[in-house]
Structures are given as C-alpha cells and as structure tokens.
Amino acid sequence: MLVEPERTTYDLHFRALGFPVRVHPWFWLGAVLLGANTLNEGIEFLAVWIAVVFVSILVHELGHAVAFRRFGADASVILYAFGGLAVPTNIVAGRGRRILVSLAGPFAGFLLAGLVYGTNAATEWGQSGDFGMPNGLLVWFLYKQLLWVNIVWGVFNLLPVFPLDGGQVSRELCGMKWGTRGKRVSLKISFGTALAVVAYALFCTIDARTGAGLLRDLPWWVPRGSIFTAILFGLLAYESYQLLQYRDWADDHWADDRTALDR
Ligand SMILES: [Zn+2]
C-alpha cells in the first residue's frame, strides 16, 4: 500500500517554501527510465528532461503542501520513483477542504504551464532564434516538455482512478452522495476508468506499431497512450480490484500520489 519509501544515505534533503523535501534515489532512476528515448538526441536532452520532471513533480507536490498549510496542517514532500508524496502532519477535516488539497497539485502544475506559456508568448524565450544557434533546439525542448509534463500529467492525475488525485476527489464526492457506500462506488469507478485507459493505451500502441494511423487525425495535444501507460493503469486497475475485495476499506489513503502520471 501507500507507504513512505524508506530513508537511504543517498537521499537528497532541502527545503522549498519552508517544507522539508526528501528526494529518494529511485526518483532519478524513474526519471531516466521515463526519458530514456531522449538519449537519441543527446545526453544534454536527458539532463533537461530530468530537470523538467524534477521541477514539475516538486511544484505539483508543493501545491498539495501549500493547501495543507492553508488548512492548518504542516506537510513534508517526498519525491521517489515515478512520483511524489505530500505527507501532512495531521488529517484535514472536511470533504470540501480535502478535495481542494487534492486539486491543488494538478492546478499548481497548470499554473506553472501557464507561466511557461505566458513568458514565452511575451519574450519568445522558448523559440530563441533559429535552431542553428547553439542550444536553440535544447531550449525549445525544455519549453515543450515543461508544457507537456505539467498539462498532460496533470490531466491524467485528475482521472478518477485511485490513488491519483482525481481518485481522491471522486472518493470524497461519492462519499458526499452515498455515505460509507461511496468508497466502494468510487473504487468501481476507479477500476472501470483504469481499464478504459488500458484499452485506449493498447489501441494507441497497436495503431502506431501497425502504422494503421487511425489516430493520426486527432489534434497533437490529445495524449497518446503508450505501453508504459497501459502497464501503469493495468496495475492501478488491479489495485482497485483488490481493494474492492476488502469489506472495510481504511479511510486514510487520500493524501498520496502514487505515480508521476499523476502524475
Ligand atoms: Zn497529486
């Protein structure tokens, strides 16, 4: 289940906005795995990718942490393989407040994407001249990935799939409507949504591999699923299925982000 990753001697510690941040060594490994294809362009592209993932997940978790603080709980942030956690010192009372805490992560990312987009629209820093310029292509890559990660991961995170942020919101909303039965309803929604994402991601993968091009006419900004997406959401579907087998589902799992797609 959602446990804090163990402390290691390779943890990186610092403070951001007054919150203690701990980076587990596997965070770097996860970022490298997710960005392995950038190595085709060069090692400097992988370095930029890792920086983008680091900043984006940190901003996402700080969004949660700021919301916790706003509602009277202090928090610490942990970045680890494929995601992050904002761990509050105490539970925030009230479904409405908990929903705001869950939404604060993705919306911090959307805010960052807005800043990136806005500053580029004003100064064109992302299109710094022609790509013949040293680092012109690298800066363009930085701009594109900052937008992509913060928007697409944010949107995936809002899917009503446990334990993503959207799954936490869905659970609170179902709890409002159906009381204690709401948890089970939200788990069923989570299971069904995760399976649908698996199907979509597999369809995208097969479409790309076979060159059928059925998705070619979709706008560029519609996220295509990969085999990685399929595996990830397959695991999440399985987890929801398992949780549905418990009769007494514990009520203390709402402050977590399991994945970067989250992440
Ligand atoms: Zn989150």
Side-chain angles (χ1 to χ4, degrees), residues 57 60-61 64 84-86 101-106 157 163-166 168 255-259 262-263:
I57 297 185
H60 177 108
E61 299 307 332
H64 291 308
L85 286 169
V101 167
S102 292
L103 293 178
N157 237 314
L164 305 180
D165 293 321
Q168 316 294 342
D256 310 284
D257 295 303
R258 168 67 67 82
T259 66
D262 111 61
R263 301 54 251 22

Side-chain angles (χ1 to χ4, degrees), residues 56 59 106-123 125 143-152:
S56 303
V59 164
F107 279 85
F110 297 152
L111 202 64
L112 177 59
L115 271 175
V116 167
Y117 184 84
T119 53
N120 179 63
T123 69
W125 66 266
Y143 169 71
K144 249 184 14 183
Q145 295 301 330
L146 271 175
L147 279 188
W148 176 259
V149 167
N150 281 286
I151 294 172
V152 174

Side-chain angles (χ1 to χ4, degrees), residues 105-255:
F107 279 85
F110 297 152
L111 202 64
L112 177 59
L115 271 175
V116 167
Y117 184 84
T119 53
N120 179 63
T123 69
E124 300 204 327
W125 66 266
Q127 282 106 334
S128 46
D130 61 286
F131 295 148
M133 244 174 75
N135 297 329
L137 196 56
L138 198 59
V139 172
W140 168 242
F141 177 76
L142 169 69
Y143 169 71
K144 249 184 14 183
Q145 295 301 330
L146 271 175
L147 279 188
W148 176 259
V149 167
N150 281 286
I151 294 172
V152 174
W153 288 8
V155 168
F156 266 104
N157 237 314
L158 288 172
L159 290 173
V161 175
F162 182 82
L164 305 180
D165 293 321
Q168 316 294 342
V169 172
S170 157
R171 210 189 83 176
E172 298 294 348
L173 292 176
C174 290
M176 277 179 198
K177 181 144 176 58
W178 291 292
T180 47
R181 205 166 60 84
K183 290 175 202 164
R184 291 189 65 79
V185 178
S186 68
L187 277 175
K188 286 175 185 168
I189 293 172
S190 170
F191 179 66
T193 308
L195 279 189
V197 173
V198 171
Y200 173 70
L202 287 179
F203 182 77
C204 291
T205 309
I206 293 166
D207 189 55
R209 292 265 162 93
T210 59
L214 295 172
L215 298 172
R216 203 179 298 137
D217 295 333
L218 284 180
W220 64 271
W221 46 263
V222 175
R224 271 45 164 200
S226 64
I227 197 74
F228 175 77
T229 320
I231 293 170
L232 179 70
F233 278 85
L235 289 172
L236 296 181
Y238 178 68
E239 187 174 324
S240 291
Y241 174 79
Q242 273 193 318
L243 286 170
L244 272 167
Q245 310 302 307
Y246 291 115
R247 238 186 314 166
D248 300 312
W249 190 46
D251 210 344
D252 54 356
H253 299 124
W254 58 276

